[in-house]
Every structure is written in structure tokens, then in C-alpha cells.
């Protein structure tokens, strides 16, 4: 098997496949990067100020992206696009390093060019930055890279609807409530990164998105349409009688 990519998805998959006994090779356009392993050592006050912890790792920038996605939303568009494209690039977790380095064959610095099927096997053609070309023959190829948002590829939305969505770099321009230029149409996850920052590319950003979108939707509903189920007085009496107690009202 050949796994293509240099980020967490590709590195994790290659390491886990190797653990199961698969004959796997990793192909990446760049050298692999890994997060630093937590030391567990006490940190000085200065270290905590200079490199505060956050949901995206240590550092002032990561702390800002993690804790202030709404503030990020109000930055100039050009700055937002630059920060999203240059922050927190592909890297693997520290815990997967020993499962890959020295265990999984690596073909680094090569970009896939094309793939042909011959005799039930895949011939993957790759090229290095200096023009050197190689061919890798395998039974399976897993493309664990190249995740890009492109509104035109959302075929479940009609072309007429897609054309009405205000976009930049093929991603939707969102309000502070994750709403697109079409009322009632919202985007979250990586599609919201250019509006709310790099945190939207990670699971940590799901909390902010969920809370914001929930508040927005609740405000749009008529008050009499929202009901919160509560234990009924009848069920309270039945429960009390079942255990031989005097019925009591429940708040």
C-alpha cells in the first residue's frame, strides 16, 4: 500500500497500517514534521506567559487562534487569508513518530504526477523537485492529502445556488454567525477557516462553532416553538408509590 501525504491523516494511517502488518510506504512532497512531546516538567511563569498553552498547542499565536475566533473574524480579509494559509501546516502528533520513523519506508520530496493501472496493480509516477522521476508499483493507493474547500465541488447544491454564495478563494464568506450570503445557509469546519481562523481545521474548533450556531438558530425560532421536556407530576407520583414513599412534588 502507498499512502500519499505529510500531515496527520497520512502519517497516522501509515503508522497504523504498518502495525497491522501491511506492507506500506509513505510518499510526501515535504519532509515530515512532528509535534514536540509534552515534557510534563513545571513551567516558569515567564514560559507560561511567553508560550501559553492552548487547544492548538503552546504559543501566543496558537492561543489567539484557539480562544479568539470571533476576534479573528474581524481582521482584514487579506490578513486572515494569509494567516490561514501559513499557520499550523501539515504535521504529525508526537505519539505517532516512533510508529513511522525507522519502520515505514519513506519517499520524501516527491510529488505524485499520475497513476496507471496495469495487471491489477497501480503504477504511481512521482517526481522530485529536481526533476527526478520514480515509479512505485502497489496494490492500493490512499490519498490522505489535498484537502481544499471548493464551493464548485459541492454538487449537492445547485449551480444556481452556488453562484449566489459570496466567496473568496472558492470558500464562502461568512457572517459572525457562520451564515453565508444566502440567508439560512451555514458553513462550519474547514469551510469556515478563512472566516474564523485555523482553529476551524481542527476538532478543537467544533465547540465554538456549535455554540455559536446553536445560539443563532435558537434566536431565529419563535419562542412558542421551543419546548424543554421536564419530568411530569404524574411520573413523580408513580415513582414515589413504586418505592412506598409519600408522593412529593418535583421542581
Amino acid at each position: 500500500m502507498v499512502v500519499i501525504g505529510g500531515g496527520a491523516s497520512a502519517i497516522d494511517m501509515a503508522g497504523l497500517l504498518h502495525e497491522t502488518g501491511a506492507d506500506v510506504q509513505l510518499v510526501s512532497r515535504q519532509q515530515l514534521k512532528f509535534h514536540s512531546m509534552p515534557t510534563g516538567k513545571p513551567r516558569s511563569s515567564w514560559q507560561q506567559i511567553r508560550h501559553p498553552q492552548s487547544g492548538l498547542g503552546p504559543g501566543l499565536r496558537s492561543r489567539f487562534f484557539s480562544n479568539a475566533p470571533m476576534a479573528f473574524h474581524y481582521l482584514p480579509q487579506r490578513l486572515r487569508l494569509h494567516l490561514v494559509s501559513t499557520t499550523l501546516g501539515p504535521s504529525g502528533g508526537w505519539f505517532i513518530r516512533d510508529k513511522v520513523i525507522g519502520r515505514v519506508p519513506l519517499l520524501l520530496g516527491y510529488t505524485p504526477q499520475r497513476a496507471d493501472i496495469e495487471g491489477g496493480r497501480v503504477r504511481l509516477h512521482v517526481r522530485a523537485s529536481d526533476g527526478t522521476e520514480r515509479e512505485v508499483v502497489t496494490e492500493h493507493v490512499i490519498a490522505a492529502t489535498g484537502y481544499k474547500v471548493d464551493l464548485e465541488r459541492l454538487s449537492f447544491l445547485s449551480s444556481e445556488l452556488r453562484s449566489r454564495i459570496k466567496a473568496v478563494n472558492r470558500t464562502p464568506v461568512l457572517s459572525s454567525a457562520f451564515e453565508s450570503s444566502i440567508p439560512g445557509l451555514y458553513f462550519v469546519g474547514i469551510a469556515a477557516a478563512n472566516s474564523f481562523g485555523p482553529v476551524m481545521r481542527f476538532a478543537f474548533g467544533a465547540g465554538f462553532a456549535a455554540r455559536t450556531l446553536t445560539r443563532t438558530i435558537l434566536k431565529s425560532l419563535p419562542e412558542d416553538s421551543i419546548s424543554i421536556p421536564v419530568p411530569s407530576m404524574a411520573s413523580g407520583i408513580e415513582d414515589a408509590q413504586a418505592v412506598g414513599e409519600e408522593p412529593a412534588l418535583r421542581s
Side-chain angles (χ1 to χ4, degrees):
M1 306 182 72
V2 170
V3 178
I4 300 175
S9 297
I11 297 174
D12 287 1
M13 188 169 295
L16 295 175
L17 283 170
H18 178 268
E19 274 196 333
T20 64
D23 182 6
V24 60
Q25 182 175 0
L26 182 67
V27 176
S28 174
R29 292 171 294 179
Q30 61 184 20
Q31 298 298 312
L32 301 185
K33 297 179 181 179
F34 296 88
H35 296 292
S36 300
M37 182 176 69
T39 61
K41 297 180 180 179
R43 303 170 70 226
S44 66
S45 298
W46 170 245
Q47 289 176 322
Q48 295 179 43
I49 295 173
R50 181 65 181 85
H51 299 285
Q53 292 292 346
S54 76
L56 297 181
L60 291 171
R61 283 163 59 94
S62 293
R63 185 65 174 266
F64 172 70
F65 297 138
S66 298
N67 293 21
M70 191 61 74
F72 184 95
H73 182 268
Y74 291 104
L75 294 176
Q77 177 176 282
R78 179 178 297 182
L79 178 57
R80 284 189 279 109
L81 296 177
H82 171 73
L83 290 173
V84 170
S85 65
T86 58
T87 301
L88 299 173
S91 59
W94 61 267
F95 49 84
I96 200 69
R97 182 186 182 95
D98 291 340
K99 298 181 185 295
V100 174
I101 302 301
R103 297 175 182 271
V104 176
L106 305 176
L107 188 57
L108 306 179
Y110 284 83
T111 301
Q113 298 299 304
R114 71 180 192 277
D116 305 314
I117 299 178
E118 184 177 322
R121 298 171 71 85
V122 180
R123 292 185 176 274
L124 180 65
H125 301 267
V126 297
R127 178 183 298 169
S129 57
D130 61 2
T132 302
E133 295 189 358
R134 293 185 60 173
E135 181 183 86
V136 181
V137 181
T138 182
E139 295 179 350
H140 304 278
V141 175
I142 300 176
T145 185
Y147 307 123
K148 292 183 179 180
V149 180
D150 186 349
L151 284 173
E152 290 304 311
R153 298 184 65 182
L154 301 182
S155 57
F156 59 87
L157 298 177
S158 68
S159 57
E160 189 275 333
L161 189 63
R162 295 196 303 269
S163 66
R164 291 167 48 200
I165 302 174
K166 184 179 180 181
V168 58
N169 288 358
R170 300 191 176 187
T171 66
V173 175
L174 305 178
S175 72
S176 59
F178 287 86
E179 190 172 27
S180 68
S181 54
I182 297 180
L185 181 59
Y186 302 85
F187 290 84
V188 296
I190 191 174
N194 284 336
S195 292
F196 293 94
V199 70
M200 291 295 109
R201 303 202 316 259
F202 300 88
F204 186 79
F208 170 77
R211 291 189 298 271
T212 303
L213 198 53
T214 298
R215 287 194 299 267
T216 300
I217 293 178
L218 286 176
K219 288 179 181 179
S220 68
L221 298 175
E223 291 185 3
D224 58 1
S225 69
I226 303 175
S227 62
I228 302 176
V230 296
S232 67
M233 183 180 298
S235 65
I237 295 174
E238 292 172 357
D239 292 344
Q241 291 174 339
V243 295
E245 298 177 352
E246 290 296 322
L249 295 180
R250 296 185 181 182
S251 58

